[in-house]
Amino acid sequence: MEYRKIGNSDLELSVITFGAWAAGGWMWGGTERSGSIDAIRKSYDEGVTSIDTAPVYGQGDSEEIVAEALQGIARDKVQIITKYGMRWDLAKGTLAMKSKDNSGNDIDIYKYAGRESIIKECEDSLRRLKTDYIDLYQIHWPDVTTPIQETMETVAELIKQGKVRHAGVCNYTAEQVAEANKYVDIVSDQVPYSMVKRDIEKELVPYSLEAVKSIIAYSPLERGLLTGKMKPGYTFEEGDHRANIYFYNDENLKRTNEFLDKLRPLAAEKNATLSQLVLRWTIEQPAITIALAGARNAEQSVQNARAVDVKLNKEELSFITTLLNELHLVK
């Protein structure tokens, strides 16, 4: 495994970090708890020491699964990353979405990051995670109803109290990161980034390089699209959020798979899977420090971790990017 420093901090994360959204089941058509625990443990055996979760993933389920998976491992050997600012138990802020919990009950989820809410969320996360500190604490989505100053000064308090080690953000623009950084040292911005979603290259990447901020890329495999395993006609389980996203319509599956077919010879030459090639390309992009990779079972998590064994030279990276620039998906 490879490890990289986050921003200008002393926090080091494994370049492939375990993404525990699917582990919580919510929006993924349910979860198999023992499979998720096994996936986390096996990835740790491969050197994946960092795990990214959030309270809203399964409304606490994902954090509890992470805690169970890490039992017996010394706390200083792992880095726990979680989030705040999405409440399903409080109608405050702005409505993010209407959803259903893992039991099929209707829930409303709000983006809210007021001071009192963050303090409560932090305590709840510490309890569920069975730890006394969080390595990287991130606002999950921007909250337009609360001043960034109030939110970030609250996280700064939690850092002083020792409950949080470092502050990060998610889904923030470069401008929002710069504003947040006035009140607490922001070490990272977790944003969606993949071969087929590269819009952050315009503003966020240049800003991050200049300001020495890390980008943590989520959904680098575009939630399964870039694995080569999804073919036209693919059907999703009930409750799977991907069913209505344009990436996964038959035409885009066809176009994406044609692109991936052109990568297969290189993957074969490297003795790698397509997923591993995609992950390696991702962590080689400017300002992308970490790639989050989720897994529903141990086989997937081990395969993701071993993406670091794939080595790509400048010519090979350029070859992939050139092919990628010819891929056009239809919205």
Side-chain angles (χ1 to χ4, degrees), residues 91-325:
K92 208 164 181 182
T94 55
L95 181 67
M97 69 181 85
K98 290 185 168 293
S99 187
K100 290 184 183 292
D101 64 18
N102 284 341
S103 300
N105 302 310
D106 291 331
I107 50 172
D108 291 341
I109 296 169
Y110 287 81
K111 295 177 188 174
Y112 181 59
R115 184 176 183 279
E116 78 293 344
S117 184
I118 297 170
I119 291 167
K120 177 191 183 326
E121 285 202 72
C122 185
E123 293 302 324
D124 288 347
S125 286
L126 290 171
R127 186 188 72 253
R128 285 190 291 258
L129 289 162
K130 295 182 178 170
T131 185
D132 53 6
Y133 69 93
I134 294 160
D135 293 281
L136 179 59
Y137 203 35
Q138 313 162 113
I139 184 168
H140 205 146
W141 283 92
D143 166 25
V144 296
T145 68
T146 304
I148 286 177
Q149 179 174 357
E150 177 185 332
T151 297
M152 297 306 154
E153 285 180 347
T154 305
V155 177
E157 283 178 41
L158 293 171
I159 291 173
K160 279 184 186 168
Q161 292 167 10
K163 293 174 181 177
V164 169
R165 284 187 63 208
H166 300 281
V169 296
C170 302
N171 303 298
Y172 262 37
T173 63
E175 186 180 358
Q176 289 168 324
V177 178
E179 173 67 17
N181 201 59
K182 293 176 185 175
Y183 312 107
V184 67
D185 181 24
I186 299 296
V187 298
S188 60
D189 191 1
Q190 183 182 141
V191 291
Y193 181 75
S194 74
M195 285 180 161
V196 293
K197 190 182 281 185
R198 295 164 60 194
D199 50 321
I200 64 163
E201 292 175 0
K202 291 180 191 136
E203 289 182 11
L204 186 62
V205 165
Y207 165 80
S208 300
L209 290 170
E210 185 183 345
V212 197
K213 306 297 180 191
S214 284
I215 293 176
I216 298 176
Y218 74 79
S219 301
L221 295 172
E222 207 51 65
R223 306 173 202 183
L225 178 73
L226 294 167
T227 63
K229 294 171 185 171
M230 299 170 76
K231 309 296 181 190
Y234 188 93
T235 55
F236 293 98
E237 299 273 338
E238 188 178 345
D240 193 313
H241 70 286
R242 294 173 291 178
N244 299 314
I245 299 176
Y246 77 91
F247 280 126
Y248 310 97
N249 68 40
D250 282 355
E251 180 58 30
N252 285 336
L253 285 175
K254 176 175 168 287
R255 293 184 185 197
T256 303
N257 284 327
E258 285 171 354
F259 156 71
L260 292 171
D261 284 342
K262 294 172 187 170
L263 296 188
R264 287 183 192 278
L266 180 58
E269 183 187 319
K270 301 286 179 182
N271 198 24
T273 65
L274 283 172
S275 298
Q276 289 169 334
L277 201 67
V278 170
L279 288 171
R280 185 80 238 190
W281 177 90
T282 304
I283 56 177
E284 292 298 334
Q285 300 312 299
I288 308 296
T289 311
I290 304 296
L292 296 184
R296 307 293 289 271
N297 56 56
E299 185 186 356
Q300 289 175 354
S301 68
V302 168
Q303 193 179 92
N304 291 340
R306 291 181 181 172
V308 296
D309 298 334
V310 180
K311 305 301 178 197
L312 295 170
N313 61 36
K314 283 184 180 176
E315 290 75 21
E316 289 162 340
L317 287 165
S318 177
F319 165 74
I320 293 171
T321 304
T322 301
L323 285 177
L324 201 49
N325 291 338

